[in-house]
Amino acid sequence: MKDAEQFLQELGIKQDSFESSAKPSKNKKGSAQQALQEVWDEEFLQPFEPEKGQREQLQQDLQNHALRLLGTREHGDKELLHKLRQKFAAKAESLEQYGISADELNEQLQDCLAHCRENNWQSDERYIEQLVSSLLAKGQGPMKIRQKAQQKSSRVDLLDAYLDLDNSDWLEQMRDVLYKKYGANSGAEGTRLAPKDKAKQMRFLQSRGYRPDLIWRLFR
């Protein structure tokens, strides 16, 4: 087996050139073995830096997938980021493919979201407007709608405007919800109910996300 000095000579590297720059060793100061180790460390143990092309490809892939998602329906910013993260970070090999860390992926995700907003592909205002309209049509109350929106969008401040209905509007909606569920036996229709039936209908409205004070007011 060749020793380190023979290996260096065959490479055409003079031992003296390494000894002059090599760090001291506890065992053999300036030895060929130490010099060879330092060459190895310098050449092969440098921190890996992903190529620019890989980063650009990742950003393009993120944007393409985001566009496909947004082409089907509106998404809140939280929801979009969650789906993109699931797609590109669910498996470790996905990160290895692009040569990035989890932290770098988060930066790329934020850049992708900013790009989608700038191009008006993604809009939390549009998302919340459609979400509120859809859930109201399904008989959901303001508390349930707010909870749902907070899970999908960071712009919950927009909810106040879309949920700014008069109490009379909420009362009317609760009457409709009860009628669809219980028909003529709805307490909101003036039917006298047994205490247990009244409590059951009140719990139903509460599960739909209506405020307790409005529920009591409806059954007074």
Side-chain angles (χ1 to χ4, degrees), residues 81-99:
L81 287 174
H82 175 69
K83 289 186 177 181
L84 290 173
R85 187 175 286 108
Q86 278 191 318
K87 172 71 174 179
F88 289 87
K91 299 179 181 179
E93 52 263 32
S94 296
L95 297 180
E96 294 175 1
Q97 175 185 350
Y98 297 103

Side-chain angles (χ1 to χ4, degrees), residues 73-77 79 122-133 148-153:
R73 65 169 177 82
E74 296 289 348
H75 284 63
D77 57 352
E79 181 182 24
Q122 191 275 336
S123 167
D124 283 281
E125 185 170 2
R126 289 198 309 267
Y127 170 74
I128 289 178
E129 180 181 10
Q130 291 188 11
L131 177 69
V132 171
S133 177
K148 178 80 170 180
Q150 288 175 338
Q151 295 172 350
K152 305 294 185 179
S153 172

Side-chain angles (χ1 to χ4, degrees), residues 142 165-172 174-175 202 205 209-220:
L165 302 179
D166 293 335
N167 287 343
S168 59
D169 294 325
W170 289 119
L171 290 169
E172 186 62 30
M174 285 191 291
R175 290 189 184 96
M202 294 177 76
L205 287 175
Y210 292 98
R211 288 171 17 212
D213 61 312
L214 289 178
I215 295 174
W216 279 105
R217 181 174 170 181
L218 183 65
F219 280 88
R220 279 192 312 189

Side-chain angles (χ1 to χ4, degrees), residues 47-90:
F48 176 74
E49 289 290 338
E51 298 179 1
K52 183 178 180 181
Q54 287 177 293
R55 292 180 184 274
E56 291 177 345
Q57 185 61 52
L58 171 58
Q59 186 59 216
Q60 187 62 59
D61 291 346
L62 285 169
Q63 292 175 16
N64 289 343
H65 190 61
L67 192 56
R68 284 193 292 270
L69 292 171
L70 294 168
T72 60
R73 65 169 177 82
E74 296 289 348
H75 284 63
D77 57 352
K78 284 185 179 180
E79 181 182 24
L80 181 60
L81 287 174
H82 175 69
K83 289 186 177 181
L84 290 173
R85 187 175 286 108
Q86 278 191 318
K87 172 71 174 179
F88 289 87

